[in-house]
Amino acid sequence: MSGRPDVIVVGGGIWGASTALHLVRRSPGLRVLVLERGPTLACETTSQAAGQIGQLRANPLMVKAVGRTLALLETFAATTGHDPGFVRSGSLHVATTAERMAAFRRTVEGVRRLGVAAEEVDLVRAHELVPRLNTAALAGAVFVPGDGYVDAPRCARAYAAAAADAGVEFRTGCEVKALRTEGGRAHGVDMAAGPLDGGVVVVTGGPWTARLLAGLGHAVPAVPIRLQQLRTVPDPGLPAHHPVVRIPDASCYLRPEAGGYLYGYIDPHPLAVDVGAAARGVRTADIAVDEPLMAEARGRLAGVFPSLGSLAVDHYRQGMVTCTPDANYVLGPAPGVAGLFVATGCSAMGIAGSAAVGAWLAELVLDGRSTDDLSPFDPGRFGARAADCDWLVAESRRVYANYYSLAAGGTTYGGRA
Ligand SMILES: Cc1cc2nc3c(=O)[nH]c(=O)nc-3n(C[C@H](O)[C@H](O)[C@H](O)COP(=O)(O)OP(=O)(O)OC[C@H]3O[C@@H](n4cnc5c(N)ncnc54)[C@H](O)[C@@H]3O)c2cc1C
């Protein structure tokens, strides 16, 4: 790119790629530069994700965000020539207790009011949809036909390729060391090679966002928490695709991948990660596998998926999801610094909301406001409490541990019901 970029995006994960894409779609000719520290785009959190995009959410803003992502992905390959690996599989939510089933009904009622197709199905239908399911262990099920999943890093690269077609420049191997400000306004970044000027700076640095903002004295209210999943060896006869299965009573999700099962576990005693603990900073590849924890997950799934029992582990995948004390994203202008925007706190829903995140940031950067009320995501919403590390970690762990908890409005699904 010759000349000064209008917008510098720091971080080339799925949020950075989506932001760049939406910026140039809304403002053709805008000079957007994305700086990624790693050797390739989407090499950190995004590379580990299951990529599931589900509409059963307690928070109406998140239901809308997920709907925008599904709408974008439906036609993405055909309209851009870049395939995000989207599968419209639907999702099946299974209850092992009557109490859970009652909560599902409340959640379904809530999302149907927002226009999402979701229906209770009988156990014969549930078995047709997911043949290995032991329906004798179930109290009921709900099917959401419009849900799906992507190959998450492929999706991020597809967003990036479409953005590059429209003129965005992506530079990998470029670590931003500090954000440059003057007179309360952002005006660029510092890299090892020297300073780089830019009109507006957007930080989509995933678990490392707080470190960059700390240099400006701003506490970002998001805590990296370990999330683990694994894939089994192939199970002969398992269909290539079936609906994503959510088993909240086991705190697990599961779907087919590469002939085996991919399943993940929302740990009830979550591990918060201090990304500054190592001198060079803790990276996704440094997160150690916790085999006993994943064995615990398998035990919890055994009643519902007995066929899992005999399958060896093919490989583990793990990373850090950034969690917040209220399960809402952190997205908006950084308090006290004009021209600086931040987006993190994905709350394990960053792929699902990726299109909306990019669209919202593009609106904020270009128009100074969004068509949606984004106050629940305001980076400054916790005030001085965000600087209280003990409080932040304790609350974020509590919210993550309750990802699938039962609440008055239904199952929380990472939000508040
Ligand atoms: C095991 C697992 C399963 C998951 N499953 C799902 C799922 O099914 N559905 C879903 O919606 N979400 C899921 N998630 C969450 C999802 O992966 C995240 O929400 C999403 O990837 C966040 O994207 P991001 O761009 O914010 O972060 P990242 O992908 O981490 O990208 C941030 C980028 O910023 C770069 N960066 C940081 N600091 C700097 C710097 N100083 N200079 C330059 N570059 C920098 C990093 O190198 C990184 O590439 C899962 C996560 C995990 C770990």
Short mmCIF file of all heavy atoms in Angstrom, two decimals, residues 152 206 348:
data_model
loop_
_atom_site.label_atom_id
_atom_site.label_comp_id
_atom_site.label_asym_id
_atom_site.label_seq_id
_atom_site.Cartn_x
_atom_site.Cartn_y
_atom_site.Cartn_z
N ALA A 152 -13.49 -22.93 10.48
CA ALA A 152 -13.26 -21.55 10.97
C ALA A 152 -12.05 -20.85 10.31
O ALA A 152 -12.19 -19.72 9.82
CB ALA A 152 -13.14 -21.53 12.49
N GLY A 206 -7.79 -10.57 19.70
CA GLY A 206 -8.17 -11.76 20.45
C GLY A 206 -7.69 -11.68 21.90
O GLY A 206 -7.80 -10.62 22.54
N ALA A 348 -16.68 -17.22 23.44
CA ALA A 348 -16.82 -18.50 22.74
C ALA A 348 -17.88 -18.46 21.63
O ALA A 348 -18.42 -19.48 21.24
CB ALA A 348 -17.09 -19.65 23.71
#
